[in-house]
Amino acid sequence: MTIETVGVVGAGAMGNGIAQTFAMAGFPVVMQDLSDAALARGRATIEKSLERLVKRDKIATDAAEAALGRLETATDPGALAGRDLVVEAIVEKFEVKAGLLGKLDDICGEATIFATNTSSISLTRLAAASSRPGRVIGMHFFNPVPLMQLVEIIRALQTEDAVCDAITELTRAVGKTPRVSKDSYGFVVNRVLAPMINEAINCVYEGLASPEDVDEMMKLGANHPMGPLSLGDLIGLDVVLNIMETLYGGFDDPKYRPSPLLKQMVDAGYLGRKSGRGFFRYG
Ligand code: NAI
């Protein structure tokens, strides 16, 4: 099972980072999105990221140019035909992702592997929406993709061993570290991380300490590089709430109950860095 060509669906925060990662590792990539404007934004983000890497001496100028040369963009999903692997990073809605998988079944050849970057949807349910469930797998990249080392590989119940092996090997080939998880709510990273952030929010909610002090305590006492509230602001508090709701609803266990303060922050529009204000202020 050889993977030589890649398609990425979605040119947003994750999609453009995933496309950049494959292009930098030498794979011809076509990045597909619904509009030219979304593709232009995605390409501009990749160009800026490559420029930064050159400035910091992480890659040579000609390597950055070569990576850009391997990147095509398209609004027509037909451009994904003939790709060995298609990774989707579109909106986090089951119906939309399932619809896309159905469409890809018609566009792509029998051997194509379909990977999804979903952060919370059941891989097994998604695989069931494809006519080739054995070839569906989760490739969960982390934000910002060019900098983050891990790819959490999620096996649906139906995923074939050979597909899992090929994706594990490919992850290493693009310079990332693969770790495999079975399909479950939140997989591994978010299952551990989101409740920790939620608990830090509860500490603030209950008046135990200020946001600054909670973060400082976790940095100095647990050796975390960033405090949990700053991390929640970075991820987006709406995203954290979404993950907690997935865990709470999925496991039906009160230990995953979202903090009332987390809900209020989201209701107030204090979503973190992206809205200029979360537990801290930005910009
Ligand atoms: P985003 O909103 O930045 O980008 C999504 C892109 O997909 C948009 O450009 C949109 O136009 C495009 N799109 C929507 N429907 C499409 C379709 N049918 N065909 C082609 N393009 C389509 O979203 P983001 O943050 O990049 O998230 C993408 C996926 O990655 C989601 O499933 C999310 O849960 C997951 N994820 C996000 C992380 C993050 O930190 N943002 C981390 C890990 C996973």
Side-chain angles (χ1 to χ4, degrees), residues 50-51 95 97 100 102 105 110 135 152 169 187 195 215:
L50 288 170
E51 269 170 33
E95 290 72 22
K97 288 194 193 287
L100 175 67
D105 279 343
E110 284 292 308
R135 307 193 78 77
E152 196 175 26
E169 195 182 309
F187 316 131
D215 268 14

Side-chain angles (χ1 to χ4, degrees), residues 46 64-65 76 100 116 172 180 194 217 242 244 255 262 272:
I46 294 174
E65 278 165 11
D76 177 10
L100 175 67
T116 166
R172 290 202 183 94
V180 179
M217 285 156 132
N242 197 289
M244 288 311 297
K255 78 176 175 184
L262 173 60

Side-chain angles (χ1 to χ4, degrees), residues 23-249:
M24 284 173 64
F27 292 82
V29 181
V30 60
M31 180 168 75
Q32 188 263 330
D33 204 306
L34 300 173
S35 70
D36 285 323
L39 289 167
R41 277 195 303 273
R43 182 182 272 277
T45 305
I46 294 174
E47 285 170 1
K48 264 190 237 129
S49 168
L50 288 170
E51 269 170 33
R52 268 198 305 273
L53 291 172
V54 169
K55 259 193 210 137
R56 290 183 198 156
D57 280 332
K58 301 268 188 216
I59 56 168
T61 309
D62 53 350
E65 278 165 11
L68 270 182
R70 284 189 281 268
L71 178 72
E72 284 172 60
T73 57
T75 49
D76 177 10
L80 300 162
R83 298 281 147 167
D84 299 323
L85 167 72
V86 176
V87 186
E88 74 77 16
I90 65 168
V91 320
E92 186 73 354
K93 291 214 168 85
F94 174 77
E95 290 72 22
V96 185
K97 288 194 193 287
L100 175 67
L101 281 170
K103 201 156 40 164
L104 290 175
D105 279 343
D106 296 335
I107 295 170
C108 300
E110 284 292 308
T112 301
I113 296 175
F114 300 130
T116 166
N117 188 49
T118 182
S119 40
S120 64
I121 299 171
S122 158
L123 247 295
T124 302
R125 261 184 93 202
L126 276 176
S130 167
S131 64
R132 307 167 209 165
R135 307 193 78 77
V136 177
I137 192 161
M139 262 186 117
H140 187 204
F141 289 82
F142 292 81
N143 194 7
V145 181
L147 301 183
M148 298 296 280
Q149 194 55 41
L150 179 68
V151 177
E152 196 175 26
I153 294 171
I154 300 108
R155 291 190 70 137
L157 206 60
Q158 306 94 317
T159 308
E160 292 162 16
D161 288 346
V163 169
C164 190
D165 292 347
I167 293 298
T168 303
E169 195 182 309
L170 177 75
T171 300
R172 290 202 183 94
V174 301
K176 304 278 187 205
T177 303
R179 284 292 180 271
V180 179
S181 165
K182 284 188 195 164
D183 181 26
S184 179
Y185 306 105
F187 316 131
V188 171
V189 174
N190 284 336
R191 167 126 169 225
V192 175
L193 191 61
M196 184 196 68
I197 295 170
N198 191 56
E199 213 46 43
I201 297 170
N202 273 330
C203 289
V204 176
Y205 178 62
E206 292 170 20
L208 271 64
S210 67
E212 287 79 5
D213 281 354
V214 169
D215 268 14
E216 206 60 13
M217 285 156 132
M218 292 305 289
K219 277 159 70 181
L220 300 178
N223 219 11
H224 288 192
M226 182 186 256
L229 299 167
S230 299
L231 187 55
D233 278 359
L234 181 67
I235 294 170
L237 297 176
D238 52 337
V239 177
V240 176
L241 178 58
N242 197 289
I243 298 168
M244 288 311 297
E245 280 169 345
T246 299
L247 295 173
Y248 187 37

